[in-house]
Amino acid sequence: MKPGMRPLYLTSLVALVLFAPNPLHARGKSTESYGVGLNVSVPASERDVLQAVQDVAADGIIQGSKEYNKDEYVGGADAADTTSVFPKWTGDGQAFYKVRKDALDPRNFKDSGDSGTLAVRYVVQPGDDKSTILKIDAIFMDDFHRRAHLSNGSVEAAEYAAVQDHLAAMRLQKQHAVEDEQRHGQELAAKELERKQKQQQLELAVAQAPGESLEQHVRNLRHDAERLVKSPGGKLRSAPFRSAASIKSLPPGTEVVILVSTPYWYGVETGDGEHGWLHRSELERLP
């Protein structure tokens, strides 16, 4: 070997060391954020949000996490008024907790490789007339080091989704209650129409004029009770109020018979035997 010449294998080894990729740079920096929690304005009343949060806190499941090699959630959780995992809440609103003890390596918590207590805190605060503030935080406290492991937000997002599901169910239940009430009102109105009709028939028979046949008397009184639907037409409704369901639309000139009279509404019968209500402003006398 000539002086000043390096062995080929040494030159190759130096190049390998200089240009080999750095394992730290290859992995890159983590973009996960821990301990941010969730703070959201919920478009619902404080009363409804409180009820939904209490239901979710008592459902026994912590969503958005799982124990090592187990189901896609953490079961066996209990609702609680307080927990040592979180400091005592002294801010505005009401705090609720869901706690699972002896949780094994729950996922989506920073460096959570041990067994410990997993807890979720919900804080409901008053907002404006149309919304309520909801804060959700989750922490895992290991039993050995007594160190808090912060959440990456998965638990908070999944628990909020459960709250939203409960709010949607509550809204649907209220809608059904309103529909049931309207249906009950329609049934009462139909019964009242039937009662009035029978009463009117009895009164017609009693009030028959001397020398006039009952058939003629009924026909005359019926004519007096007949009305025409004015232009541009009217809506036959199931109950005597504007928001009541529309049974059918009646074109101008449709003849109806008044069975019940109120200060603003007529209970009527159409030519095809349907019963309903029309506003007085929609009718006029026969010419």
Side-chain angles (χ1 to χ4, degrees):
M1 180 183 297
K2 295 181 179 180
M5 294 185 61
R6 297 181 180 180
L8 181 60
Y9 71 88
L10 181 60
T11 303
S12 301
L13 179 61
V14 171
L16 181 62
V17 172
L18 289 177
F19 296 102
N22 189 326
L24 295 179
H25 290 290
R27 286 198 298 267
K29 295 183 179 179
S30 174
T31 58
E32 279 190 302
S33 298
Y34 291 90
V36 176
L38 182 143
N39 189 344
V40 63
S41 177
V42 185
S45 69
E46 183 178 357
R47 178 180 178 181
D48 287 350
V49 174
L50 282 170
Q51 183 61 59
V53 166
Q54 287 177 301
D55 292 343
V56 171
D59 65 11
I61 295 174
I62 296 179
Q63 304 281 0
S65 181
K66 67 175 183 177
E67 292 186 280
Y68 176 74
N69 201 26
K70 288 192 176 181
D71 296 328
E72 294 300 318
Y73 57 84
V74 178
D78 297 313
D81 296 328
T82 184
T83 174
S84 60
V85 173
F86 285 96
K88 182 179 180 181
W89 178 257
T90 58
D92 294 335
Q94 300 184 53
F96 305 88
Y97 301 89
K98 181 159 54 176
V99 181
R100 162 65 196 278
K101 295 182 179 180
D102 300 322
L104 178 61
D105 186 20
R107 300 305 169 88
N108 298 322
F109 290 85
K110 188 173 184 179
D111 301 329
S112 58
D114 300 319
S115 174
T117 300
L118 176 58
V120 182
R121 180 181 66 189
Y122 318 80
V123 178
V124 180
Q125 298 177 322
D128 54 28
D129 294 338
K130 298 181 179 179
S131 63
T132 303
I133 304 300
L134 175 61
K135 300 177 183 291
I136 304 179
D137 295 283
I139 292 179
F140 172 67
M141 180 74 72
D142 67 74
D143 292 333
F144 184 73
H145 298 287
R146 299 301 298 168
R147 182 176 59 184
H149 302 265
L150 302 180
S151 164
N152 66 1
S154 298
V155 171
E156 292 89 335
E159 289 293 302
Y160 177 53
V163 171
Q164 288 180 306
D165 289 343
H166 278 261
L167 288 171
M170 292 165 64
R171 284 192 291 269
L172 185 60
Q173 186 177 14
K174 288 182 179 179
Q175 180 181 346
H176 288 167
V178 170
E179 292 173 353
D180 289 343
E181 184 178 357
Q182 289 182 343
R183 187 161 44 250
H184 181 63
Q186 294 171 6
E187 292 173 355
L188 290 178
K191 290 181 180 179
E192 180 64 13
L193 277 174
E194 184 179 1
R195 187 187 69 80
K196 290 288 186 180
Q197 187 177 20
K198 291 180 179 179
Q199 180 181 354
Q200 187 179 51
Q201 291 174 351
L202 179 60
E203 292 174 351
L204 289 174
V206 173
Q208 180 181 349
E212 185 180 40
S213 69
L214 177 60
E215 183 180 352
Q216 181 64 39
H217 183 66
V218 171
R219 187 163 50 248
N220 291 338
L221 288 176
R222 184 178 181 87
H223 182 269
D224 291 339
E226 288 179 342
R227 294 289 188 275
L228 291 177
V229 176
K230 295 165 59 176
S231 180
K235 289 188 178 296
L236 187 67
R237 300 189 180 275
S238 59
F241 43 85
R242 294 283 189 185
S243 60
S246 175
I247 299 175
K248 65 185 300 185
S249 296
L250 300 177
T254 301
E255 293 188 12
V256 296
V257 177
I258 297 173
L259 302 179
V260 182
S261 178
T262 71
Y264 300 102
W265 294 84
Y266 285 129
V268 302
E269 180 183 350
T270 64
D272 53 5
E274 285 193 279
H275 291 160
W277 297 85
L278 285 166
H279 196 269
R280 282 176 173 261
S281 62
E282 297 176 306
L283 297 174
E284 61 184 355
R285 287 183 175 275
L286 272 65

